């Protein structure tokens, strides 16, 4: 099993000063992740989604991280693929350049960038997002495999060489962000890995694993975007791990609520997210059992998709290392290939993020490594 972290660059206070601090904090976390034994870091790409994600140029962030590390893999989780956001040849060129400079450590995930806010910023039409994402995957997987490339579809490209060529042959591994069953089925049919998002917990991951596996078993290979299929499934694991398990639960669930409200705001026109003070009522609620905590998290009746928020399911790796190990064991039994830790949520302080990375590196990840690995 592999272990990774994913970065949104979320922030409760989107002031320029805090924005700069958070971006540097994310770099610090990513570099520390290598030291603590994580296998990969992922960075999202979103545009104009204030508070929810300030990671608009993930290729720059990942290059900065790659320059300060030597081993950890560098993942685009994801690149927005519709043509209004960027031309597929530019995606291929940038990714290959980073693959060369990082020594062959790049992974590429595909996404639609389908919020109304993002599409309005780049002139992308909703009906184009799925077909253009698939066509973009086919374009740059072919561009990397052919010395002299041309394409005649929605776009007319070439003929010409796409340079540089990536280190990894025939190209960096391909993935897709999957938050629904139909996107899981599409990823399997296209022969690319699945990045399973959402907060719905282990039971939902089990269902999504089955959907992906069933689609893999039924596919013929005719829709593969490359001659090198990738069947890797990574599942989100929201986590804050501290010696003080109660504090970790409080910080984690508060961060999750901020994350969920941000999703509801940008995907469902709900009010903008807020950072909640640790008032006496909130602290008291943390001392009650998790069922009552979930009921408290429900109070806003936020109209986000269940797969995004898990209806505020709090049964994640929030607590001490024993809690995190138990949750990872559940994911391992399901057959998850990679545990994708979500630590950097908008209200989680930097010191808690760094301590969580240390706890995972020293006490959680080693439980799932073969001796000497």
């Amino acid at each position: 099993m592999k272990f990774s972290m994913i970065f949104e660059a979320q922030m409760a206070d989107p002031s320029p000063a805090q924005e700069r601090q958070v971006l540097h904090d994310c770099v610090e976390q990513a570099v520390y992740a290598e030291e603590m034994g994580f296998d990969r870091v992922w960075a999202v790409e979103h545009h104009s989604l204030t508070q929810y994600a300030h990671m608009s140029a993930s290729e720059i962030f990942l290059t900065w991280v790659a320059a300060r590390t030597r081993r950890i893999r560098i993942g685009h989780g994801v690149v927005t693929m519709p043509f209004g956001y960027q031309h597929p040849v530019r995606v291929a060129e940038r990714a290959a350049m980073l693959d060369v400079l990082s020594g062959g450590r790049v992974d590429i995930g595909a996404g639609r960038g389908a919020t109304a806010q993002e599409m309005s910023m780049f002139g992308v039409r909703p009906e184009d997002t799925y077909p253009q994402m698939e066509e973009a995957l086919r374009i740059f997987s072919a561009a990397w495999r052919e010395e002299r490339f041309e394409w005649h579809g929605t776009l007319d490209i070439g003929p010409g060489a796409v340079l540089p060529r990536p280190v990894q042959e025939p190209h960096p591994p391909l993935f897709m962000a999957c938050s629904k069953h139909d996107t899981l089925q599409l990823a399997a049919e296209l022969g690319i890995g699945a990045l399973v998002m959402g907060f719905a917990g282990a039971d939902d991951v089990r269902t999504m694993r089955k959907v992906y596996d069933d689609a893999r078993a039924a596919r013929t290979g005719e829709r593969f975007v490359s001659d090198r299929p990738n069947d890797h499934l990574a599942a989100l694991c929201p986590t804050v791990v501290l010696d003080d398990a109660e504090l970790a639960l409080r910080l984690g669930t508060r961060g999750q609520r901020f994350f969920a409200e941000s999703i509801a705001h940008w995907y469902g026109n709900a009010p903008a997210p807020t950072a909640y003070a640790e008032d006496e009522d909130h602290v008291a609620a943390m001392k009650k059992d998790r069922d009552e905590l979930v009921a408290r998290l429900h109070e806003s009746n936020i109209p986000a998709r269940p797969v995004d928020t898990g209806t505020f399911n709090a049964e994640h790796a929030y607590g001490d290392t024993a809690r995190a190990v138990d949750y990872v064991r559940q994911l391992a039994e399901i057959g998850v290939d990679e545990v994708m830790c979500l630590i950097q949520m908008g209200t989680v302080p930097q010191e808690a993020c760094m301590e969580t990375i240390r706890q995972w590196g020293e006490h959680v990840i080693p439980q799932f490594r073969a001796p000497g690995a």
Side-chain angles (χ1 to χ4, degrees), residues 21-226:
Q21 184 62 56
V22 166
L23 289 169
H24 283 286
D25 286 349
C26 289
V27 172
E28 184 181 18
Q29 291 175 42
V31 173
Y32 192 45
E34 176 173 88
E35 182 181 341
M36 288 294 103
F38 282 80
D39 300 289
R40 184 176 3 238
V41 292
W42 295 98
V44 306
E45 180 190 329
H46 282 301
H47 302 281
S48 193
L49 303 188
T50 305
Q51 294 185 286
Y52 176 58
H54 290 238
M55 191 67 71
S56 60
S58 51
E59 69 278 6
I60 305 298
F61 172 81
L62 292 171
T63 300
W64 197 255
V65 171
R68 295 185 55 188
T69 57
R70 293 292 178 266
R71 175 195 57 79
I72 200 164
R73 292 192 65 82
I74 308 297
H76 286 274
V78 298
V79 179
T80 51
M81 293 293 181
F83 307 149
Y85 293 112
Q86 50 216 329
H87 195 285
V89 171
R90 287 295 290 137
V91 177
E93 290 173 336
R94 292 199 308 260
M97 182 68 78
L98 182 53
D99 202 50
V100 170
L101 295 178
S102 69
R105 291 190 277 151
V106 170
D107 299 282
I108 301 291
R112 297 190 298 134
T115 66
Q117 176 66 30
E118 290 172 291
M119 289 187 291
S120 70
M121 294 290 286
F122 288 86
V124 173
R125 301 188 305 170
E127 61 268 27
D128 291 334
T129 57
Y130 274 118
Q132 289 186 5
M133 179 180 68
E134 180 176 340
E135 187 173 357
L137 281 164
R138 296 186 184 280
I139 288 170
F140 64 75
S141 66
W144 283 324
R145 287 182 284 125
E146 299 174 12
E147 291 186 9
R148 187 169 175 79
F149 169 73
E150 63 181 296
W151 181 270
H152 303 290
T154 307
L155 297 176
D156 283 310
I157 303 170
V162 176
L163 303 172
R165 309 301 292 275
V167 172
Q168 298 176 89
E169 295 181 355
H171 51 68
L174 304 177
F175 294 83
M176 179 186 294
C178 299
S179 61
K180 299 180 291 185
H181 290 182
D182 59 352
T183 51
L184 275 165
Q185 292 165 343
L186 177 61
E189 291 172 7
L190 298 180
I192 59 179
L195 304 177
V196 175
M197 306 297 179
F199 288 100
D203 288 341
D204 189 64
V205 172
R206 182 177 292 104
T207 299
M208 298 183 85
R209 172 87 251 189
K210 185 177 187 306
V211 169
Y212 187 63
D213 288 345
D214 287 349
R216 287 170 53 213
R219 69 191 181 188
T220 64
E222 294 178 358
R223 294 194 66 190
F224 281 2
V225 299
S226 171

